[in-house]
């Protein structure tokens, strides 16, 4: 198996050539003179030839050293340039951020925020991926994701922004025809619409003030992979749905739908920004994170129960 070139020794050699001094190279690189000498010796041993002729007063390149010096100098320059560019990318907000968000929340809440961000940070670009499916941040190369749920334990870094309650709702016309459920177990007698990406796989969980718990697996004619797609059927009076505040809050406020099962609540979800583990993060990710924290944390817990 081929070995990688000894880039460190090559860079140290180039610095010695540049300064014509082992001591000078050691000082500039913040290394001991012995470390510099060992690196050059290591390179000579690897190449099987001397690179310097050394006396107490003079340091001269051999023919082999002369031939290597130009390539080593270019290697050092390229390395310094790459490091400078990477450092600038990490300290200055610049470059692409790949950001995954739920579909409806992305269209309704995230997209309207982006013009102000892009104007404030003209060197940052955003690849906004909108889907209700949970993406693999690390495997799919995302820098950031917004998730509205109770998060399972994982290695991802999560930052909670605000609560995001869910409501079980129906149109007044449906309730007039079919009656109003007052206990979660009554949902078995009703038409209920399902959402494909529930973290509990189609089971609705409830708790009341007395601590009683109930879990139901309601059934109905419609199941979707985007929560907003349920709203037309609910508004048409065709069934009951369980939806987050950002989708159904306005319809509750206008009276187009009513919250059923008052006195019962579901495990409270929340809005989180999640990121791959590790750090520090590039400035482009940090500034977008702080911008979103400031804007999205303004969301308040709904008061429809």
């Amino acid at each position: 198996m081929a070995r990688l070139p000894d880039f460190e020794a090559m860079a140290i050699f180039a610095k010695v050539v540049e300064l014509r001094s082992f001591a000078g190279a050691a000082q500039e690189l913040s290394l001991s003179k012995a470390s510099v000498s060992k690196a050059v010796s290591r390179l000579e041993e690897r190449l099987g030839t001397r690179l310097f002729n050394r006396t107490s007063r003079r340091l001269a390149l051999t023919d082999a050293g002369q031939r290597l010096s130009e390539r080593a100098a270019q290697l050092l320059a390229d390395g310094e340039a790459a490091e400078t560019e990477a450092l600038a990318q990490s300290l200055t907000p610049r470059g692409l951020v790949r950001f995954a968000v739920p579909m409806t929340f992305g269209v309704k809440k995230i997209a309207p925020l982006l013009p102000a961000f892009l104007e404030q940070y003209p060197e940052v670009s955003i690849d906004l991926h909108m889907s209700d499916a949970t993406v693999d941040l690390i495997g799919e190369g995302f820098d950031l994701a917004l998730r509205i749920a109770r998060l399972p334990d994982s290695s991802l870094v999560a930052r909670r922004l605000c609560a995001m309650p869910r409501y079980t709702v129906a149109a007044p016309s449906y309730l007039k025809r079919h009656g109003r459920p007052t206990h979660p177990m009554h949902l078995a007698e009703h038409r209920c619409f399902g959402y494909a990406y529930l973290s509990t796989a189609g089971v609705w969980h409830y708790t009341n003030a007395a601590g009683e718990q109930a879990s139901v697996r309601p059934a109905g004619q419609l199941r979707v992979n985007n929560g907003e797609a349920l709203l037309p059927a609910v508004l048409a009076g065709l069934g009951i749905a369980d939806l987050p505040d950002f989708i159904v809050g306005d319809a509750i406020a206008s009276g187009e739908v009513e919250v059923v099962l008052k006195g019962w609540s579901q495990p409270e979800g929340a809005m989180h920004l999640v990121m791959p583990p590790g750090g520090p993060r590039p400035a482009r990710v940090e500034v977008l994170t702080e911008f979103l924290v400031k804007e999205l944390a303004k969301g308040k817990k709904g008061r429809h129960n």
Side-chain angles (χ1 to χ4, degrees):
M1 182 177 178
R3 293 186 298 167
L4 285 172
D6 191 339
F7 293 113
E8 180 188 44
M10 200 86 69
I12 291 174
F13 166 72
K15 187 60 68 173
V16 173
V17 173
E18 177 188 334
L19 300 175
R20 285 292 194 263
S21 167
F22 277 71
Q27 184 175 0
E28 182 155 329
L29 296 173
S30 299
L31 297 172
S32 68
K33 187 177 177 181
S35 295
V36 172
S37 181
K38 286 179 182 178
V40 173
S41 296
R42 188 171 74 240
L43 189 59
E44 290 178 326
E45 182 177 350
R46 182 184 178 110
L47 299 176
T49 186
R50 293 182 62 83
L51 300 174
F52 291 105
N53 289 316
R54 304 173 230 185
T55 68
S56 59
R57 295 186 177 183
R58 190 167 179 269
L59 183 66
L61 287 166
T62 64
D63 288 343
Q66 186 66 51
R67 288 192 298 271
L68 181 63
S69 63
E70 290 186 12
R71 289 185 177 273
Q74 186 61 54
L75 177 68
L76 177 60
D78 288 345
E80 289 174 338
E83 188 174 85
T84 299
E85 182 179 344
L87 185 61
Q89 287 278 354
S90 67
L91 298 177
T92 303
R94 180 186 301 123
L96 178 67
V97 179
R98 300 196 68 228
F99 183 27
V101 299
M103 176 65 75
T104 298
F105 196 85
V107 172
K108 286 188 169 185
K109 304 295 184 181
I110 298 297
L113 297 176
L114 294 184
F117 176 83
L118 296 173
E119 185 174 3
Q120 186 176 352
Y121 297 101
E123 296 187 70
V124 177
S125 301
I126 296 175
D127 179 358
L128 187 64
H129 175 89
M130 293 187 289
S131 171
D132 285 4
T134 301
V135 300
D136 177 356
L137 263 70
I138 298 172
E140 298 180 46
F142 285 99
D143 299 293
L144 192 64
L146 193 146
R147 291 183 179 165
I148 301 171
R150 288 184 299 153
L151 295 184
D153 291 336
S154 76
S155 62
L156 299 176
V157 177
R159 187 165 180 177
R160 189 181 189 276
L161 300 180
C162 63
M164 185 56 68
R166 302 183 65 86
Y167 301 107
T168 305
V169 298
S173 60
Y174 176 89
L175 298 174
K176 185 176 180 179
R177 288 196 306 272
H178 301 282
R180 181 185 297 270
T182 58
H183 190 283
M185 303 312 293
H186 295 164
L187 294 174
E189 304 164 10
H190 288 265
R191 301 173 183 175
C192 298
F193 302 139
Y195 175 60
Y197 293 128
L198 276 180
S199 59
T200 52
V203 179
W204 299 0
H205 299 283
Y206 297 90
T207 306
N208 65 14
E212 181 185 356
Q213 297 182 349
S215 297
V216 296
R217 189 184 294 273
Q221 294 173 283
L222 182 63
R223 185 172 183 266
V224 302
N225 65 357
N226 173 258
E228 191 174 25
L230 292 177
L231 202 52
V234 175
L235 294 175
L238 298 180
I240 296 173
D242 174 61
L243 295 167
D245 184 72
F246 70 89
I247 289 178
V248 78
D250 290 344
I252 294 173
S254 68
E256 293 175 279
V257 300
E258 298 178 14
V259 176
V260 300
L261 300 178
K262 290 193 174 183
W264 292 86
S265 61
Q266 298 188 60
E268 186 174 273
M271 188 190 316
H272 296 84
L273 283 172
V274 295
M275 293 159 276
R281 307 188 191 285
R284 62 183 181 273
V285 176
E286 289 294 334
V287 294
L288 179 57
T289 299
E290 293 307 316
F291 177 85
L292 293 170
V293 167
K294 179 181 176 181
E295 296 298 324
L296 297 179
K298 294 175 183 177
K300 302 297 182 181
K301 182 177 179 178
R303 299 181 181 182
H304 302 296
N305 279 333

